[in-house]
């Protein structure tokens, strides 16, 4: 059974940092791109970042602040988020993709990130 489980969300002040983790199981991580998207109620889902075996990509809104990484052996994917802004407040989902830029084939339950003073 394909499963992705996010953790690491929480409340942080503007300018602070959080590290999101995604534990994957039920499939071979090597064969998939893994990414993060976020969603705010009433707004469209926004792709944040994606990492494949050969490339990484970021939304313009997070470039230079967020860093995605993966450890295939541990079956973990991470999103280091620095210089957080109130506009980053959202539920963050970890998702599996056939390739970055395609639609997600599976995703987790999400973790809430709130940036507020």
């Amino acid at each position: 059974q394909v499963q992705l489980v996010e953790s690491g969300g929480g409340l942080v002040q503007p300018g602070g940092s959080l590290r999101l983790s995604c534990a994957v199981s039920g499939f071979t991580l090597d064969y998939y791109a893994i990414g993060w998207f976020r969603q705010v109620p009433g707004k469209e889902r926004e792709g944040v970042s994606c990492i494949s075996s050969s490339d990484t990509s970021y939304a313009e809104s997070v470039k230079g602040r967020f860093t995605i990484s993966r450890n295939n052996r541990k079956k973990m994917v991470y999103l280091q988020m620095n210089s957080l802004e109130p506009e980053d407040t959202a539920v963050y989902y970890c998702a599996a993709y056939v390739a970055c830029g395609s639609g997600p084939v599976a995703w987790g339950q999400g973790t809430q990130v709130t940036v507020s003073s």
Side-chain angles (χ1 to χ4, degrees), residues 41-62:
K43 293 188 177 181
E44 283 193 16
R45 183 176 68 194
E46 178 188 15
V48 174
S49 182
C50 186
I51 183 167
S52 67
S53 60
S54 59
D55 198 13
T56 58
S57 60
Y58 297 92
E60 284 297 324
S61 58
V62 306

Side-chain angles (χ1 to χ4, degrees), residues 4-79:
L4 301 98
V5 180
E6 304 92 337
S7 61
L11 172 64
V12 64
Q13 292 187 341
S17 298
L18 282 174
R19 187 196 197 202
L20 304 184
S21 299
C22 175
V24 304
S25 60
F27 63 98
T28 303
L29 185 58
D30 309 51
Y31 301 150
Y32 289 87
I34 301 292
W36 296 86
F37 65 87
R38 62 189 182 186
Q39 188 147 31
V40 176
K43 293 188 177 181
E44 283 193 16
R45 183 176 68 194
E46 178 188 15
V48 174
S49 182
C50 186
I51 183 167
S52 67
S53 60
S54 59
D55 198 13
T56 58
S57 60
Y58 297 92
E60 284 297 324
S61 58
V62 306
K63 274 185 180 178
R65 301 188 297 122
F66 291 11
T67 303
I68 192 170
S69 60
R70 62 193 285 168
N71 185 321
N72 288 357
R73 183 178 62 82
K74 293 184 177 181
K75 305 191 81 171
M76 294 291 296
V77 179
Y78 307 97
L79 186 69

